[in-house]
Amino acid sequence: MTTALYLPEENIDMIAATSVLQQQAADIRTRTINWASYMQSQMISEEDYKAISALDKSRASYLAQNSSQVVKTLLNLVSHLSKDSTIQYILVLLDDLLQEDRSRVDLFHETAGKLKQCIWGPFLNLLNRQDGFIVNMSSRILAKFACWGHETMPKSDLNFYLQFLKDQLATNNNEYIQSVARCLQMMLRVDEYRFAFVGVDGISTLIRILSTRVNFQVQYQLIFCLWVLTFNPLLAAKMNKFSVIPILADILSDCAKEKVTRIILAVFRNLIEKPEDSSVAKDHCIAMVQCKVLKQLSILEQRRFDDEDITSDVEYLSEKLQNSVQDLSSFDEYATEVRSGRLEWSPVHKSAKFWRENAQRLNEKNYELLRILVHLLETSNDGIILSVACFDIGEYVRHYLRGKHVLEQLGGKQIVMQHLGHKDPNVRYEALLAVQKLMVQ
């Protein structure tokens, strides 16, 4: 039995009426297929000819009386016919049958089982076709078979299908991206499928696409996918390893659409409520504070929303973040900023008292924070991040006796010296100060 997460249906209206797939399906429904010529040329059996012709004329009544035959015929036609326009028509017909009545998914599973036919194979094969409509309508049908019935998709097929969805999401200028995202929205409501998606590195893909400029509808759909993932406590605890909080905080600060605001706040709330380890929830709170979420919440508090969920999430988050700020030591704040990779001239950097008390704490967890500073110097192109990282390394060696030796072991000294020729005068200045501190005996 698939354990779906039951959420308000409004949140997942299966396909926006404006989607490309839906527009094309409307045209395909009006086609007339000459089934007689298929039978005459022996491409379909007489039995399948009678069934599909009757289905075309009176769908509901024929299906009620001949359900097994309908399933058998549709699976035969999808498996054995090859002409694009005919396959498109059969797929739309099948999808409409499932959309009208979800219980038909179990009917398909049961009948295919009795016929010893694989229900997944024919549609998985169609994912390799050239025609974009066939590929995406087959994908939509697969998602319904996987989510709306009592049977789950077998593991090997599941990994193939989720990898397919992930690749489709990452395809440049994919005109069917809304339809791909809808399939994922369905799949990730089923707990068994969530870990498989993480296994194909799905979260990284969602975050990578969200960090580019996508339209607000796709933005909403992909954040919805993150939201349903966070209902699993283990995944909620892991989420920020993928920089979910910084990316969503950026989108929140630019966001004009209420539904995108609502879904981001819902993700943030789950990241605090769902992890079973309270220290993880605390880390998430600190990360949100670091990413200026409190400031966004105070702006949202001034606005009027029709949606009560937004108001209650804003209140909840404001309270939790305010509390975490009060509990925060300056070192917690510093460590969170460094781990986020978003260094800026926040007050702790320039505090001599902070460095006197905390310099050697950069050695904790096998020099974790020091390694991050060195890594940022190697990889970042941002002038402020580079300036702050140089400054912090200089303060570390100034206040920790063995700091110079440790930094050399990590290769940091060379990297600081490389920035003496940086094009940004501020970076050059901070690198020079840091090198001077490194040279002092």
Side-chain angles (χ1 to χ4, degrees):
M1 170 68 183
T2 56
T3 50
L5 167 73
Y6 291 104
L7 301 163
E9 206 50 44
E10 163 275 327
N11 282 334
I12 188 169
D13 46 346
M14 259 310 297
I15 275 210
T18 53
S19 85
V20 176
L21 196 75
Q22 200 67 335
Q23 289 165 4
Q24 291 172 333
D27 293 338
I28 291 165
R29 272 186 205 98
T30 62
R31 284 182 192 157
T32 307
I33 306 284
N34 185 350
W35 299 115
S37 71
Y38 276 105
M39 186 181 68
Q40 285 151 11
S41 54
Q42 297 184 326
M43 292 171 80
I44 63 174
S45 68
E46 186 174 351
E47 183 183 57
D48 286 339
Y49 165 70
K50 284 178 178 166
I52 191 69
S53 302
L55 202 58
D56 267 352
K57 288 192 185 76
S58 56
R59 187 151 81 205
S61 60
Y62 183 75
L63 181 68
Q65 290 156 11
N66 306 273
S67 56
S68 295
Q69 183 59 53
V70 169
V71 172
K72 185 178 168 187
T73 294
L74 289 175
L75 290 176
N76 279 344
L77 299 183
V78 162
S79 305
H80 297 115
L81 298 182
S82 58
K83 189 176 177 187
D84 276 1
S85 58
T86 309
I87 292 287
Q88 288 171 349
Y89 181 83
I90 297 162
L91 291 175
V92 171
L93 174 63
L94 203 163
D95 184 67
D96 287 347
L97 289 175
L98 302 181
Q99 194 67 31
E100 285 162 12
D101 180 356
R102 290 181 178 206
S103 70
R104 289 172 182 165
V105 166
D106 280 328
L107 174 73
F108 269 83
H109 281 303
E110 286 155 17
T111 309
K114 285 176 195 156
L115 297 168
K116 305 251 183 310
Q117 272 186 288
C118 170
I119 202 163
W120 311 103
F123 300 98
L124 288 164
N125 288 338
L126 291 176
L127 299 182
N128 297 315
R129 293 283 282 251
Q130 291 301 303
D131 178 78
F133 181 87
I134 290 177
V135 168
N136 285 281
M137 190 52 92
S138 303
S139 173
R140 177 175 153 94
I141 290 168
L142 280 166
K144 288 176 181 173
F145 281 151
C147 299
W148 287 358
H150 288 80
E151 276 192 47
T152 50
M153 192 182 265
K155 202 161 174 38
S156 58
D157 291 340
L158 176 64
N159 284 341
F160 174 82
Y161 178 53
L162 291 174
Q163 185 68 47
F164 160 82
L165 289 177
K166 189 188 101 162
D167 293 344
Q168 291 294 308
L169 272 186
T171 304
N172 285 339
N173 304 322
N174 182 352
E175 62 176 335
Y176 294 100
I177 189 165
Q178 278 187 38
S179 306
V180 178
R182 294 277 173 200
C183 293
L184 252 189
Q185 281 176 273
M186 290 181 73
M187 293 295 286
L188 297 178
R189 290 156 74 92
V190 180
D191 203 46
E192 294 95 305
Y193 299 156
R194 292 176 188 152
F195 286 100
F197 183 65
V198 177
V200 299
D201 202 25
I203 297 178
S204 302
T205 304
L206 295 179
I207 293 301
R208 195 169 67 250
I209 297 164
L210 283 168
S211 62
T212 61
R213 306 298 292 173
V214 284
N215 72 50
F216 83 89
Q217 175 60 26
V218 174
Q219 217 173 40
Y220 169 78
Q221 289 178 268
L222 299 186
I223 299 168
F224 183 103
C225 291
L226 292 174
W227 177 55
V228 288
L229 286 169
T230 60
F231 278 89
N232 181 296
L234 289 170
L235 295 180
K238 278 202 176 95
M239 228 6 129
N240 204 35
K241 291 188 170 63
F242 299 94
S243 299
V244 167
I245 291 171
I247 296 292
L248 294 189
D250 283 351
I251 294 172
L252 186 64
S253 66
D254 291 342
C255 164
K257 294 287 178 181
E258 191 167 303
K259 71 178 192 173
V260 177
T261 299
R262 181 185 67 195
I263 202 82
I264 292 173
L265 295 176
V267 174
F268 284 167
R269 182 167 188 154
N270 276 3
L271 289 178
I272 297 170
E273 273 185 340
K274 300 299 178 191
E276 284 159 2
D277 180 347
S278 61
S279 71
V280 171
K282 182 186 169 192
D283 288 346
H284 287 167
C285 284
I286 297 169
M288 288 176 207
V289 171
Q290 202 65 55
C291 293
K292 311 279 188 289
V293 173
L294 262 177
K295 181 181 162 198
Q296 286 310 124
L297 293 172
S298 66
I299 293 169
L300 293 173
E301 279 173 331
Q302 309 306 314
R303 284 171 55 188
R304 286 187 62 76
F305 291 104
D306 300 331
D307 189 325
E308 287 172 15
D309 285 349
I310 294 185
T311 312
S312 95
D313 285 351
V314 167
E315 282 172 17
Y316 172 86
L317 290 166
S318 296
E319 184 189 339
K320 289 288 181 188
L321 299 196
Q322 296 284 5
N323 291 346
S324 80
V325 170
Q326 283 154 17
D327 298 342
L328 204 55
S329 75
S330 55
F331 184 75
D332 287 335
E333 197 177 331
Y334 176 77
T336 310
E337 184 183 323
V338 173
R339 288 189 191 112
S340 78
R342 299 178 165 212
L343 299 182
E344 52 184 71
W345 289 115
S346 53
V348 287
H349 298 279
K350 295 286 191 173
S351 159
K353 178 174 180 283
F354 171 79
W355 287 107
R356 272 199 310 280
E357 291 170 1
N358 294 295
Q360 69 189 49
R361 293 195 65 184
L362 269 60
N363 303 337
E364 290 172 6
K365 296 186 184 171
N366 192 22
Y367 307 104
E368 179 203 10
L369 297 178
L370 192 59
R371 288 175 190 276
I372 294 173
L373 291 173
V374 171
H375 177 70
L376 289 172
L377 281 182
E378 270 187 295
T379 55
S380 179
N381 299 318
D382 183 290
I384 291 177
I385 291 174
L386 293 173
S387 299
V388 176
C390 284
F391 178 83
D392 286 4
I393 284 172
E395 289 299 277
Y396 167 74
V397 298
R398 186 156 78 97
H399 290 90
Y400 175 59
L401 209 56
R402 293 189 57 252
K404 300 184 185 76
H405 173 69
V406 173
L407 197 68
E408 284 201 38
Q409 297 295 106
L410 297 179
K413 183 177 175 181
Q414 286 305 108
I415 294 162
V416 173
M417 292 178 82
Q418 284 167 15
H419 288 294
L420 291 170
H422 197 276
K423 63 177 188 290
D424 182 329
N426 294 318
V427 176
R428 286 202 302 272
Y429 173 72
E430 294 300 345
L432 180 63
L433 289 185
V435 169
Q436 285 169 357
K437 290 170 193 171
L438 276 163
M439 298 305 182
V440 171
Q441 290 307 316

